[in-house]
Amino acid sequence: MSPKSPMSPSGPASAGHHAAHNHSTQGQSLDQALQRAGFYPVLVADVVDDALDGRDCLAHLVHLETHFERAEVRRHITVLVLTEDMLVITHVDDQQLDDAGEQIVAQISTESVPVAQIRSVVLSYMYSQPQNYTPGDPVRELTLSIAWSGGQRLDVGPASCGDPQCEADHGYTGTISQEDIVLRISSEADGPRAVHDAKVFARALRAVNTGTIAPAPHATIPAPRPRSGVFGNRLSRGHQR
């Protein structure tokens, strides 16, 4: 997205959306998280609501990523919403159609995955100065990987024998990672709250997926309601296979 591309501002029309979707352990509601991200929040809210199809949100994770391409700044957002039986994933990207940045289109994909199909939830942590670690020290970076379709990523590179003078061909070595979506959350770039929210979301997803006691929705969440007029791709393009 060009720097001239507009971010959809918060407004009165979105103030009441999804007021019921509060999660105190995550620090902010889904609506607040979308407003904070600032990436077409009203549009994203409506698309997510349509994908939820009347289901109530148990937990959510909103991740905005920024990439720099020459003179342009490109952003895209991934929204994960957990319900009792589904993981609803929404990805929104935009594209500038003219040099002036006046013609912009939003590309949106949604995927609804039954939680029973989720095969693994992997959290990878990165800590600074582990030799000085004390309980409660913050996580520098966290990577959340979720797999459900059996898709795999293969990373291959030349193999070596450890001898820097050796010029023999040792073939190739690599790793196979099972993943359908990967989100990398950095405390420095996204803030400590974003890392905490990712951990809370992963914990909730594991609970629902394994059949343990799921986190209860906020007490004010009403019964499932019609989609109309309310806000209750394979994703994370920055880490796509």
Side-chain angles (χ1 to χ4, degrees), residues 2 5 11-12 16 18 23 39 42 45 71-73 99 102 111 138 148-149 159 177 199 203 209:
S2 165
S5 297
H18 248 274
H23 307 282
F39 192 76
V42 177
E72 292 187 348
V73 179
D99 293 337
E102 297 178 354
E111 184 168 2
W148 60 85
S149 71
S177 303
K199 292 169 65 177
R203 198 175 301 129
N209 182 235

Side-chain angles (χ1 to χ4, degrees):
M1 184 185 67
S2 165
K4 296 182 180 180
S5 297
M7 290 292 184
S8 178
S10 304
S14 63
H17 286 178
H18 248 274
H21 289 214
N22 292 319
H23 307 282
S24 57
T25 56
Q26 290 187 278
Q28 56 186 350
S29 68
L30 176 55
D31 201 30
Q32 290 171 331
L34 292 175
Q35 294 293 339
R36 180 180 176 84
F39 192 76
Y40 311 115
V42 177
L43 172 61
V44 178
D46 282 345
V47 171
V48 171
D49 182 65
D50 184 72
L52 285 175
D53 198 24
R55 293 178 173 86
D56 283 323
C57 168
L58 297 180
H60 65 270
L61 183 61
V62 176
H63 186 53
L64 178 68
E65 293 187 85
T66 303
H67 301 279
F68 298 92
E69 295 182 4
R70 298 180 182 177
E72 292 187 348
V73 179
R74 299 187 60 84
R75 295 182 175 90
H76 53 88
I77 194 170
T78 303
V79 181
L80 309 183
V81 178
L82 176 66
T83 73
E84 290 185 352
D85 62 339
M86 301 289 289
L87 174 63
V88 178
I89 307 161
T90 303
H91 184 84
V92 184
D93 202 347
D94 66 358
Q95 182 177 359
Q96 177 179 307
L97 300 181
D98 62 338
D99 293 337
E102 297 178 354
Q103 300 296 322
I104 302 171
V105 295
Q107 299 172 315
I108 305 173
S109 64
T110 63
E111 184 168 2
S112 298
V113 182
V115 293
Q117 286 187 354
I118 296 176
R119 301 188 178 193
S120 68
V121 179
V122 180
L123 281 177
S124 301
Y125 300 85
M126 180 182 294
Y127 284 91
S128 297
Q129 302 295 83
Q131 70 276 15
N132 300 325
Y133 175 81
T134 58
D137 281 358
V139 181
R140 178 178 177 181
E141 185 177 288
L142 183 145
T143 301
L144 171 63
S145 304
I146 307 171
W148 60 85
S149 71
Q152 295 179 327
R153 184 187 70 188
L154 177 62
D155 294 321
V156 178
S160 65
C161 65
D163 182 358
Q165 305 299 324
C166 181
E167 298 180 356
D169 183 359
H170 296 282
Y172 292 88
T173 185
T175 59
I176 297 177
S177 303
Q178 186 180 47
E179 58 188 35
D180 285 284
I181 181 171
V182 178
L183 296 179
R184 184 176 298 116
I185 300 98
S186 166
S187 180
E188 295 178 358
D190 305 303
R193 169 58 63 182
V195 174
H196 171 77
D197 285 351
K199 292 169 65 177
V200 170
F201 179 83
R203 198 175 301 129
L205 180 57
R206 285 196 300 256
V208 174
N209 182 235
T210 58
T212 56
I213 298 176
H218 193 275
T220 61
I221 289 181
R225 60 229 178 273
R227 298 185 316 216
S228 177
V230 298
F231 173 49
N233 312 282
R234 205 59 56 87
L235 317 165
S236 187
R237 303 301 184 194
H239 306 289
Q240 190 178 21
R241 297 186 303 277

